Amino acid sequence: MTFSATVLTLYPEMFPGPLGVSLAGRALAEGKWSIDPVHIRDFAQDRHRTVDDTPAGGGAGMVLKVDILAAAIDHARAANPGAPVIAMTPRGRPISQQRIRELAEGSGVILLCGRFEGFDERIFAGREVEEVSVGDIILSGGECAALMVLDACIRLLPGVMGAPSSGTEESFEDGLLEYPHYTRPTEWEGRTIPEVLRSGDHAKIAAWRKQKAEDDTRSRRPDLWERHRDARVQPASGARRKNEDLGS
């Protein structure tokens, strides 16, 4: 099954962009996924092809019009009825690796890219649209964020990565940051590869990697660590244990 991506954008020339090279580009050429950049202006009704207007209540900037957005979404849904519609917006829920895996396992995705001050809020009540953020930053538009989401999905498609295990031992896959990596030379500017990684003892290496993943997550991303710890101590019944091991 080909993963089909539709991108609703004011700049269709930005796609496939970087997704046309490397692993994603090869997969695109091999037909493992497809992309259809759709110009939002194609759904404007006036001779000026207007897609935006001033904010209700006043203020700076312009807002993408709800009727134009709805027409673009309806067009994309008719071509790919089973694909979720995702709006790229800093007001959305931060996307997770779990959600990326869910998307990659489906038939495709419809990505709605904002510009200016964003979307008329009524589009989210009038159409089933998931609001997604790629981080606590502001971009010029949703196109770069859409490229990130697509890249994350495409690399998980069957046959895209060389080794099937390449996508499993990575940051966020088990709720932790990935353990650190090393390669030759063994010594560089007085810094050496940890001895355990040169021991040949696979059990010790696995234990070291697990410990480093936990230590780095705890120190670098305490938010991830708290969620990981809570998941570990949650009993099968769904009730929280009364006495959590705060040191674990």
Side-chain angles (χ1 to χ4, degrees):
M1 180 178 63
T2 298
F3 181 88
S4 175
T6 302
V7 184
L8 305 177
T9 172
L10 292 175
Y11 296 95
E13 63 272 20
M14 293 180 68
F15 299 89
L19 300 179
V21 299
S22 189
L23 291 176
R26 185 164 62 245
L28 182 62
E30 294 172 349
K32 291 184 172 66
W33 71 286
S34 65
I35 185 166
D36 180 22
V38 175
H39 206 315
I40 294 175
R41 287 194 190 278
D42 290 344
F43 303 92
Q45 300 298 316
D46 65 325
R47 63 190 181 92
H48 299 293
R49 303 179 75 202
T50 305
V51 298
D52 57 345
D53 207 339
T54 55
M62 304 291 280
V63 178
L64 289 170
K65 292 165 60 66
V66 66
D67 53 339
I68 307 302
L69 294 172
I73 290 171
D74 292 346
H75 167 84
R77 276 208 168 118
N80 193 352
V85 179
I86 296 181
M88 312 310 304
T89 167
R91 298 183 68 241
R93 180 178 304 213
I95 196 162
S96 66
Q97 188 64 16
Q98 178 182 349
R99 183 63 180 127
I100 289 293
R101 281 201 169 274
E102 292 169 356
L103 294 174
E105 291 170 358
S107 62
V109 64
I110 299 167
L111 297 173
L112 179 61
C113 301
R115 281 275 162 174
F116 319 125
E117 292 302 309
F119 310 104
D120 185 312
E121 187 70 13
R122 290 172 292 178
I123 194 63
F124 304 115
R127 296 292 184 273
E128 188 178 349
V129 180
E130 178 181 351
E131 298 177 76
V132 161
S133 168
V134 296
D136 294 342
I137 56 174
I138 302 298
L139 302 172
S140 299
E143 287 78 14
C144 289
L147 288 168
M148 290 173 60
V149 170
L150 286 178
D151 180 75
C153 290
I154 292 161
R155 61 190 297 276
L156 296 179
L157 299 179
V160 173
M161 288 189 287
S165 61
S166 297
T168 57
E169 292 189 8
E170 294 184 315
S171 293
F172 314 118
E173 286 295 343
D174 58 359
L176 299 171
L177 298 180
E178 190 177 8
Y179 51 79
H181 293 277
Y182 300 85
T183 189
R184 289 183 287 268
T186 302
E187 183 176 343
W188 174 76
E189 294 187 353
R191 297 170 173 84
T192 59
I193 296 174
E195 184 178 352
V196 64
L197 299 180
R198 296 178 278 128
S199 68
D201 189 323
H202 296 295
K204 288 184 178 179
I205 291 172
W208 180 88
R209 286 174 169 170
K210 181 176 183 296
Q211 187 62 55
K212 289 298 293 183
E214 293 182 350
D215 291 345
D216 287 352
T217 304
R218 185 188 294 110
S219 63
R220 300 182 185 191
R221 290 290 304 274
D223 57 323
L224 284 180
W225 176 250
E226 286 299 318
R227 289 199 295 270
H228 175 72
R229 189 187 65 176
D230 288 347
R232 287 195 308 169
V233 300
Q234 188 78 12
S237 64
R240 292 289 299 274
R241 288 177 182 165
K242 293 182 180 180
N243 298 317
E244 295 183 4
D245 181 2
L246 297 179
S248 62

PDB file of all heavy atoms in Angstrom, residues 35-57:
ATOM      1  N   ILE A  35       3.159  12.140  -3.058  1.00  0.00           N
ATOM      2  CA  ILE A  35       2.835  13.449  -2.488  1.00  0.00           C
ATOM      3  C   ILE A  35       2.100  14.286  -3.530  1.00  0.00           C
ATOM      4  O   ILE A  35       2.451  14.277  -4.712  1.00  0.00           O
ATOM      5  CB  ILE A  35       4.102  14.170  -1.986  1.00  0.00           C
ATOM      6  CG1 ILE A  35       3.732  15.478  -1.286  1.00  0.00           C
ATOM      7  CG2 ILE A  35       5.096  14.410  -3.119  1.00  0.00           C
ATOM      8  CD1 ILE A  35       4.868  16.086  -0.483  1.00  0.00           C
ATOM      9  N   ASP A  36       1.070  14.990  -3.064  1.00  0.00           N
ATOM     10  CA  ASP A  36       0.274  15.852  -3.931  1.00  0.00           C
ATOM     11  C   ASP A  36       0.165  17.223  -3.270  1.00  0.00           C
ATOM     12  O   ASP A  36      -0.678  17.434  -2.397  1.00  0.00           O
ATOM     13  CB  ASP A  36      -1.113  15.250  -4.140  1.00  0.00           C
ATOM     14  CG  ASP A  36      -1.984  16.108  -5.049  1.00  0.00           C
ATOM     15  OD1 ASP A  36      -1.421  16.907  -5.824  1.00  0.00           O
ATOM     16  OD2 ASP A  36      -3.215  15.959  -4.989  1.00  0.00           O
ATOM     17  N   PRO A  37       1.031  18.169  -3.651  1.00  0.00           N
ATOM     18  CA  PRO A  37       0.912  19.521  -3.104  1.00  0.00           C
ATOM     19  C   PRO A  37      -0.247  20.257  -3.794  1.00  0.00           C
ATOM     20  O   PRO A  37      -0.270  20.377  -5.017  1.00  0.00           O
ATOM     21  CB  PRO A  37       2.259  20.177  -3.450  1.00  0.00           C
ATOM     22  CG  PRO A  37       3.117  19.094  -4.034  1.00  0.00           C
ATOM     23  CD  PRO A  37       2.186  18.051  -4.555  1.00  0.00           C
ATOM     24  N   VAL A  38      -1.201  20.721  -3.019  1.00  0.00           N
ATOM     25  CA  VAL A  38      -2.399  21.367  -3.551  1.00  0.00           C
ATOM     26  C   VAL A  38      -2.393  22.840  -3.145  1.00  0.00           C
ATOM     27  O   VAL A  38      -2.248  23.171  -1.958  1.00  0.00           O
ATOM     28  CB  VAL A  38      -3.673  20.685  -3.021  1.00  0.00           C
ATOM     29  CG1 VAL A  38      -4.914  21.425  -3.484  1.00  0.00           C
ATOM     30  CG2 VAL A  38      -3.715  19.228  -3.469  1.00  0.00           C
ATOM     31  N   HIS A  39      -2.544  23.721  -4.134  1.00  0.00           N
ATOM     32  CA  HIS A  39      -2.522  25.154  -3.873  1.00  0.00           C
ATOM     33  C   HIS A  39      -3.862  25.604  -3.294  1.00  0.00           C
ATOM     34  O   HIS A  39      -4.922  25.423  -3.912  1.00  0.00           O
ATOM     35  CB  HIS A  39      -2.243  25.912  -5.170  1.00  0.00           C
ATOM     36  CG  HIS A  39      -1.614  27.254  -4.955  1.00  0.00           C
ATOM     37  ND1 HIS A  39      -2.059  28.137  -4.004  1.00  0.00           N
ATOM     38  CD2 HIS A  39      -0.567  27.859  -5.576  1.00  0.00           C
ATOM     39  CE1 HIS A  39      -1.321  29.227  -4.036  1.00  0.00           C
ATOM     40  NE2 HIS A  39      -0.399  29.088  -4.985  1.00  0.00           N
ATOM     41  N   ILE A  40      -3.820  26.195  -2.114  1.00  0.00           N
ATOM     42  CA  ILE A  40      -5.044  26.655  -1.466  1.00  0.00           C
ATOM     43  C   ILE A  40      -5.746  27.725  -2.302  1.00  0.00           C
ATOM     44  O   ILE A  40      -6.979  27.813  -2.315  1.00  0.00           O
ATOM     45  CB  ILE A  40      -4.726  27.184  -0.046  1.00  0.00           C
ATOM     46  CG1 ILE A  40      -4.252  26.019   0.850  1.00  0.00           C
ATOM     47  CG2 ILE A  40      -5.947  27.855   0.582  1.00  0.00           C
ATOM     48  CD1 ILE A  40      -3.790  26.458   2.229  1.00  0.00           C
ATOM     49  N   ARG A  41      -4.987  28.520  -3.051  1.00  0.00           N
ATOM     50  CA  ARG A  41      -5.593  29.577  -3.868  1.00  0.00           C
ATOM     51  C   ARG A  41      -6.511  29.021  -4.968  1.00  0.00           C
ATOM     52  O   ARG A  41      -7.363  29.740  -5.478  1.00  0.00           O
ATOM     53  CB  ARG A  41      -4.517  30.445  -4.505  1.00  0.00           C
ATOM     54  CG  ARG A  41      -3.819  31.371  -3.542  1.00  0.00           C
ATOM     55  CD  ARG A  41      -3.020  32.445  -4.240  1.00  0.00           C
ATOM     56  NE  ARG A  41      -2.193  33.161  -3.289  1.00  0.00           N
ATOM     57  CZ  ARG A  41      -2.617  34.152  -2.512  1.00  0.00           C
ATOM     58  NH1 ARG A  41      -3.885  34.542  -2.598  1.00  0.00           N
ATOM     59  NH2 ARG A  41      -1.803  34.744  -1.673  1.00  0.00           N
ATOM     60  N   ASP A  42      -6.331  27.760  -5.299  1.00  0.00           N
ATOM     61  CA  ASP A  42      -7.184  27.171  -6.329  1.00  0.00           C
ATOM     62  C   ASP A  42      -8.652  27.136  -5.912  1.00  0.00           C
ATOM     63  O   ASP A  42      -9.531  26.920  -6.753  1.00  0.00           O
ATOM     64  CB  ASP A  42      -6.711  25.752  -6.659  1.00  0.00           C
ATOM     65  CG  ASP A  42      -5.378  25.745  -7.389  1.00  0.00           C
ATOM     66  OD1 ASP A  42      -4.977  26.810  -7.899  1.00  0.00           O
ATOM     67  OD2 ASP A  42      -4.730  24.677  -7.445  1.00  0.00           O
ATOM     68  N   PHE A  43      -8.927  27.339  -4.615  1.00  0.00           N
ATOM     69  CA  PHE A  43     -10.292  27.235  -4.110  1.00  0.00           C
ATOM     70  C   PHE A  43     -10.899  28.607  -3.818  1.00  0.00           C
ATOM     71  O   PHE A  43     -12.019  28.695  -3.312  1.00  0.00           O
ATOM     72  CB  PHE A  43     -10.309  26.350  -2.864  1.00  0.00           C
ATOM     73  CG  PHE A  43      -9.751  24.982  -3.140  1.00  0.00           C
ATOM     74  CD1 PHE A  43      -8.404  24.715  -2.933  1.00  0.00           C
ATOM     75  CD2 PHE A  43     -10.552  23.987  -3.656  1.00  0.00           C
ATOM     76  CE1 PHE A  43      -7.869  23.471  -3.223  1.00  0.00           C
ATOM     77  CE2 PHE A  43     -10.036  22.739  -3.953  1.00  0.00           C
ATOM     78  CZ  PHE A  43      -8.692  22.479  -3.741  1.00  0.00           C
ATOM     79  N   ALA A  44     -10.175  29.652  -4.152  1.00  0.00           N
ATOM     80  CA  ALA A  44     -10.722  31.008  -4.019  1.00  0.00           C
ATOM     81  C   ALA A  44     -11.739  31.257  -5.124  1.00  0.00           C
ATOM     82  O   ALA A  44     -11.613  30.738  -6.237  1.00  0.00           O
ATOM     83  CB  ALA A  44      -9.592  32.025  -4.082  1.00  0.00           C
ATOM     84  N   GLN A  45     -12.741  32.064  -4.840  1.00  0.00           N
ATOM     85  CA  GLN A  45     -13.838  32.278  -5.772  1.00  0.00           C
ATOM     86  C   GLN A  45     -13.755  33.611  -6.518  1.00  0.00           C
ATOM     87  O   GLN A  45     -14.378  33.771  -7.561  1.00  0.00           O
ATOM     88  CB  GLN A  45     -15.174  32.220  -5.008  1.00  0.00           C
ATOM     89  CG  GLN A  45     -15.432  30.892  -4.318  1.00  0.00           C
ATOM     90  CD  GLN A  45     -15.526  29.733  -5.297  1.00  0.00           C
ATOM     91  OE1 GLN A  45     -16.176  29.842  -6.340  1.00  0.00           O
ATOM     92  NE2 GLN A  45     -14.866  28.620  -4.975  1.00  0.00           N
ATOM     93  N   ASP A  46     -13.004  34.560  -6.008  1.00  0.00           N
ATOM     94  CA  ASP A  46     -12.952  35.875  -6.648  1.00  0.00           C
ATOM     95  C   ASP A  46     -11.804  35.943  -7.652  1.00  0.00           C
ATOM     96  O   ASP A  46     -10.931  35.083  -7.689  1.00  0.00           O
ATOM     97  CB  ASP A  46     -12.812  36.968  -5.588  1.00  0.00           C
ATOM     98  CG  ASP A  46     -11.493  36.869  -4.831  1.00  0.00           C
ATOM     99  OD1 ASP A  46     -11.028  35.730  -4.601  1.00  0.00           O
ATOM    100  OD2 ASP A  46     -10.907  37.900  -4.493  1.00  0.00           O
ATOM    101  N   ARG A  47     -11.817  36.978  -8.467  1.00  0.00           N
ATOM    102  CA  ARG A  47     -10.816  37.073  -9.527  1.00  0.00           C
ATOM    103  C   ARG A  47      -9.420  37.351  -8.991  1.00  0.00           C
ATOM    104  O   ARG A  47      -8.422  37.132  -9.685  1.00  0.00           O
ATOM    105  CB  ARG A  47     -11.216  38.157 -10.527  1.00  0.00           C
ATOM    106  CG  ARG A  47     -11.285  39.559 -10.005  1.00  0.00           C
ATOM    107  CD  ARG A  47     -11.916  40.489 -11.029  1.00  0.00           C
ATOM    108  NE  ARG A  47     -11.995  41.876 -10.587  1.00  0.00           N
ATOM    109  CZ  ARG A  47     -11.050  42.786 -10.830  1.00  0.00           C
ATOM    110  NH1 ARG A  47      -9.968  42.446 -11.506  1.00  0.00           N
ATOM    111  NH2 ARG A  47     -11.194  44.025 -10.399  1.00  0.00           N
ATOM    112  N   HIS A  48      -9.325  37.814  -7.762  1.00  0.00           N
ATOM    113  CA  HIS A  48      -8.012  38.057  -7.158  1.00  0.00           C
ATOM    114  C   HIS A  48      -7.468  36.831  -6.425  1.00  0.00           C
ATOM    115  O   HIS A  48      -6.370  36.882  -5.883  1.00  0.00           O
ATOM    116  CB  HIS A  48      -8.091  39.237  -6.186  1.00  0.00           C
ATOM    117  CG  HIS A  48      -8.490  40.533  -6.836  1.00  0.00           C
ATOM    118  ND1 HIS A  48      -7.696  41.183  -7.748  1.00  0.00           N
ATOM    119  CD2 HIS A  48      -9.626  41.276  -6.710  1.00  0.00           C
ATOM    120  CE1 HIS A  48      -8.299  42.290  -8.158  1.00  0.00           C
ATOM    121  NE2 HIS A  48      -9.486  42.366  -7.554  1.00  0.00           N
ATOM    122  N   ARG A  49      -8.249  35.770  -6.408  1.00  0.00           N
ATOM    123  CA  ARG A  49      -7.872  34.524  -5.722  1.00  0.00           C
ATOM    124  C   ARG A  49      -7.518  34.792  -4.254  1.00  0.00           C
ATOM    125  O   ARG A  49      -6.504  34.345  -3.737  1.00  0.00           O
ATOM    126  CB  ARG A  49      -6.715  33.835  -6.437  1.00  0.00           C
ATOM    127  CG  ARG A  49      -6.990  33.514  -7.894  1.00  0.00           C
ATOM    128  CD  ARG A  49      -5.802  32.857  -8.547  1.00  0.00           C
ATOM    129  NE  ARG A  49      -5.654  31.476  -8.135  1.00  0.00           N
ATOM    130  CZ  ARG A  49      -4.510  30.799  -8.194  1.00  0.00           C
ATOM    131  NH1 ARG A  49      -3.407  31.391  -8.614  1.00  0.00           N
ATOM    132  NH2 ARG A  49      -4.457  29.550  -7.826  1.00  0.00           N
ATOM    133  N   THR A  50      -8.389  35.503  -3.578  1.00  0.00           N
ATOM    134  CA  THR A  50      -8.155  35.910  -2.191  1.00  0.00           C
ATOM    135  C   THR A  50      -8.336  34.732  -1.236  1.00  0.00           C
ATOM    136  O   THR A  50      -9.348  34.027  -1.286  1.00  0.00           O
ATOM    137  CB  THR A  50      -9.130  37.034  -1.795  1.00  0.00           C
ATOM    138  OG1 THR A  50      -9.006  38.101  -2.742  1.00  0.00           O
ATOM    139  CG2 THR A  50      -8.830  37.545  -0.401  1.00  0.00           C
ATOM    140  N   VAL A  51      -7.379  34.544  -0.356  1.00  0.00           N
ATOM    141  CA  VAL A  51      -7.452  33.434   0.607  1.00  0.00           C
ATOM    142  C   VAL A  51      -7.458  33.925   2.047  1.00  0.00           C
ATOM    143  O   VAL A  51      -7.628  33.124   2.978  1.00  0.00           O
ATOM    144  CB  VAL A  51      -6.274  32.457   0.415  1.00  0.00           C
ATOM    145  CG1 VAL A  51      -6.309  31.822  -0.959  1.00  0.00           C
ATOM    146  CG2 VAL A  51      -4.937  33.162   0.646  1.00  0.00           C
ATOM    147  N   ASP A  52      -7.257  35.222   2.274  1.00  0.00           N
ATOM    148  CA  ASP A  52      -7.148  35.730   3.632  1.00  0.00           C
ATOM    149  C   ASP A  52      -7.920  37.027   3.781  1.00  0.00           C
ATOM    150  O   ASP A  52      -8.336  37.647   2.809  1.00  0.00           O
ATOM    151  CB  ASP A  52      -5.683  35.933   4.020  1.00  0.00           C
ATOM    152  CG  ASP A  52      -4.957  36.882   3.058  1.00  0.00           C
ATOM    153  OD1 ASP A  52      -5.479  37.152   1.963  1.00  0.00           O
ATOM    154  OD2 ASP A  52      -3.856  37.347   3.403  1.00  0.00           O
ATOM    155  N   ASP A  53      -8.104  37.435   5.046  1.00  0.00           N
ATOM    156  CA  ASP A  53      -8.797  38.680   5.339  1.00  0.00           C
ATOM    157  C   ASP A  53      -8.311  39.172   6.704  1.00  0.00           C
ATOM    158  O   ASP A  53      -7.614  38.444   7.437  1.00  0.00           O
ATOM    159  CB  ASP A  53     -10.315  38.465   5.342  1.00  0.00           C
ATOM    160  CG  ASP A  53     -11.069  39.751   4.985  1.00  0.00           C
ATOM    161  OD1 ASP A  53     -10.474  40.849   5.137  1.00  0.00           O
ATOM    162  OD2 ASP A  53     -12.226  39.652   4.560  1.00  0.00           O
ATOM    163  N   THR A  54      -8.712  40.401   7.046  1.00  0.00           N
ATOM    164  CA  THR A  54      -8.265  40.988   8.310  1.00  0.00           C
ATOM    165  C   THR A  54      -8.913  40.280   9.506  1.00  0.00           C
ATOM    166  O   THR A  54     -10.020  39.755   9.402  1.00  0.00           O
ATOM    167  CB  THR A  54      -8.609  42.485   8.348  1.00  0.00           C
ATOM    168  OG1 THR A  54     -10.019  42.643   8.103  1.00  0.00           O
ATOM    169  CG2 THR A  54      -7.826  43.237   7.280  1.00  0.00           C
ATOM    170  N   PRO A  55      -8.252  40.271  10.654  1.00  0.00           N
ATOM    171  CA  PRO A  55      -8.801  39.591  11.832  1.00  0.00           C
ATOM    172  C   PRO A  55     -10.053  40.281  12.357  1.00  0.00           C
ATOM    173  O   PRO A  55     -10.106  41.514  12.447  1.00  0.00           O
ATOM    174  CB  PRO A  55      -7.660  39.685  12.861  1.00  0.00           C
ATOM    175  CG  PRO A  55      -6.445  40.080  12.102  1.00  0.00           C
ATOM    176  CD  PRO A  55      -6.912  40.832  10.907  1.00  0.00           C
ATOM    177  N   ALA A  56     -11.058  39.510  12.689  1.00  0.00           N
ATOM    178  CA  ALA A  56     -12.244  40.056  13.348  1.00  0.00           C
ATOM    179  C   ALA A  56     -11.828  40.642  14.691  1.00  0.00           C
ATOM    180  O   ALA A  56     -11.088  40.016  15.444  1.00  0.00           O
ATOM    181  CB  ALA A  56     -13.298  38.975  13.540  1.00  0.00           C
ATOM    182  N   GLY A  57     -12.285  41.833  14.993  1.00  0.00           N
ATOM    183  CA  GLY A  57     -11.909  42.477  16.237  1.00  0.00           C
ATOM    184  C   GLY A  57     -10.668  43.337  16.118  1.00  0.00           C
ATOM    185  O   GLY A  57     -10.255  43.980  17.085  1.00  0.00           O
TER     186      GLY A  57
END
